[in-house]
Amino acid sequence: MHSPSVLPDFRLLFENGPGAALILLADAPFYTIVAVSDAYLRMTMTTRERVVGRAFFDVLPEDRENPSVDRVVALRASLDRARVSGVADRMPEQKYDIRRPDGTSEERYCSALNTTVLDHAGLVQYLIHTLEDVTEQLLWRTFDTALSNTPDFTYLFDLEGRFTYANRALLSLWQKSLAEAVGKNFFDLDYPLELAERLQRQIQQVIHTKQPLRDQTPFTSLTGETRHYEYI
């Protein structure tokens, strides 16, 4: 058994932790990188040798379609605020072009959090720059905004016939939230048994044949109103 007085290897813990993060010296304007997590290296498709020891803004992934200085100015301002105030500073989402090893790039959107590490005198010695990849959330938000502005019912299923998405029009008909619908099938959503069986059977038919299917059905909502719907 190890003695409780033996300190763990904090660099090893940081490098193998789940967060995509850099540790920066508080040596503005350079913000020299002194450590990088494996998660950050995977996200930005780079290596530790290309990052550690360099100034932060020399290795910052670029937005090659919009090489504006605004993003750099915003990042520097956030680091400066955290360094001066000693308080964490969170940034909104920004677009990054992550350079792949083959020279091509991948468009990602990330939010950043800059936190401080104080020395024994209470002065900021390091900053921890953490990235969170929010690309899928932004794409989903855009997707949902577009589909929720139509009065038509729009929805997605997985290969088991469970809902993975339903727009606002359909959720309103069901009088359910998206969280209450996702992962459910027509049986779970209390459709009449005969209708639920037909709809689930048609979903599997489309999956197996890879051909579109058009049909129509009456449906009585929770308000008691019965209407006829055509669907594809």
Side-chain angles (χ1 to χ4, degrees), residues 61-127:
E62 299 177 355
D63 181 353
R64 293 161 64 183
E65 292 183 1
N66 182 28
S68 169
V69 297
D70 292 347
R71 183 166 65 96
V72 173
V73 170
L75 271 168
R76 187 179 295 280
S78 176
L79 289 169
D80 288 343
R81 283 194 299 270
R83 176 179 55 83
V84 172
S85 68
V87 177
D89 192 89
R90 182 176 293 279
M91 300 186 63
E93 300 91 353
Q94 290 187 316
K95 179 175 172 288
Y96 293 81
D97 280 332
I98 306 299
R99 189 76 60 89
R100 297 189 183 97
D102 63 3
T104 61
S105 64
E106 177 179 324
E107 182 179 293
R108 310 298 294 177
Y109 288 85
C110 299
S111 63
L113 176 65
N114 295 309
T115 55
T116 57
V117 179
L118 307 182
D119 62 16
H120 294 297
L123 301 176
V124 175
Q125 185 173 5
Y126 300 103
L127 294 106

Side-chain angles (χ1 to χ4, degrees), residues 8 15 22 27 32 35 45 58-60 66 82 86 101 125 149 163 169 176 179 185 195 200 203 206-207 221 223 228:
E15 290 180 350
L22 299 170
D27 59 343
T32 305
M45 302 185 196
D58 289 345
V59 300
L60 182 68
N66 182 28
Q125 185 173 5
N149 287 328
F163 284 91
K176 293 184 181 297
N185 59 30
L195 177 58
Q200 293 295 145
I203 293 170
V206 171
I207 291 172
S221 69
T223 63
H228 285 75

Side-chain angles (χ1 to χ4, degrees), residues 55-231:
F56 172 69
F57 292 99
D58 289 345
V59 300
L60 182 68
E62 299 177 355
D63 181 353
R64 293 161 64 183
E65 292 183 1
N66 182 28
S68 169
V69 297
D70 292 347
R71 183 166 65 96
V72 173
V73 170
L75 271 168
R76 187 179 295 280
S78 176
L79 289 169
D80 288 343
R81 283 194 299 270
R83 176 179 55 83
V84 172
S85 68
V87 177
D89 192 89
R90 182 176 293 279
M91 300 186 63
E93 300 91 353
Q94 290 187 316
K95 179 175 172 288
Y96 293 81
D97 280 332
I98 306 299
R99 189 76 60 89
R100 297 189 183 97
D102 63 3
T104 61
S105 64
E106 177 179 324
E107 182 179 293
R108 310 298 294 177
Y109 288 85
C110 299
S111 63
L113 176 65
N114 295 309
T115 55
T116 57
V117 179
L118 307 182
D119 62 16
H120 294 297
L123 301 176
V124 175
Q125 185 173 5
Y126 300 103
L127 294 106
I128 303 176
H129 175 74
T130 306
L131 284 183
E132 180 185 3
D133 190 335
V134 295
T135 307
E136 291 187 4
Q137 294 95 309
L138 285 178
L139 291 175
W140 185 258
R141 193 185 308 163
T142 302
F143 174 80
D144 179 53
T145 299
L147 293 184
S148 287
N149 287 328
T150 174
D152 297 327
F153 299 148
T154 307
Y155 40 88
L156 299 174
F157 301 105
D158 63 17
L159 295 180
E160 301 298 324
R162 295 184 294 260
F163 284 91
T164 60
Y165 172 80
N167 71 345
R168 293 175 195 167
L170 186 55
L171 293 173
S172 177
L173 177 71
W174 292 338
Q175 296 187 13
K176 293 184 181 297
S177 68
L178 182 60
E180 293 173 319
V182 168
K184 306 290 181 58
N185 59 30
F186 286 107
F187 296 104
D188 301 325
L189 293 169
D190 298 324
Y191 271 54
L193 180 60
E194 182 179 349
L195 177 58
E197 289 177 341
R198 175 156 63 96
L199 294 173
Q200 293 295 145
R201 185 171 59 251
Q202 289 176 337
I203 293 170
Q204 292 306 313
Q205 178 182 334
V206 171
I207 291 172
H208 291 130
T209 65
K210 298 181 174 58
Q211 297 296 319
L213 181 149
R214 182 186 296 269
D215 202 352
Q216 58 181 347
T217 184
F219 181 79
T220 302
S221 69
L222 293 178
T223 63
E225 181 183 11
T226 299
R227 303 183 66 175
H228 285 75
Y229 298 93
E230 183 179 31
Y231 58 90

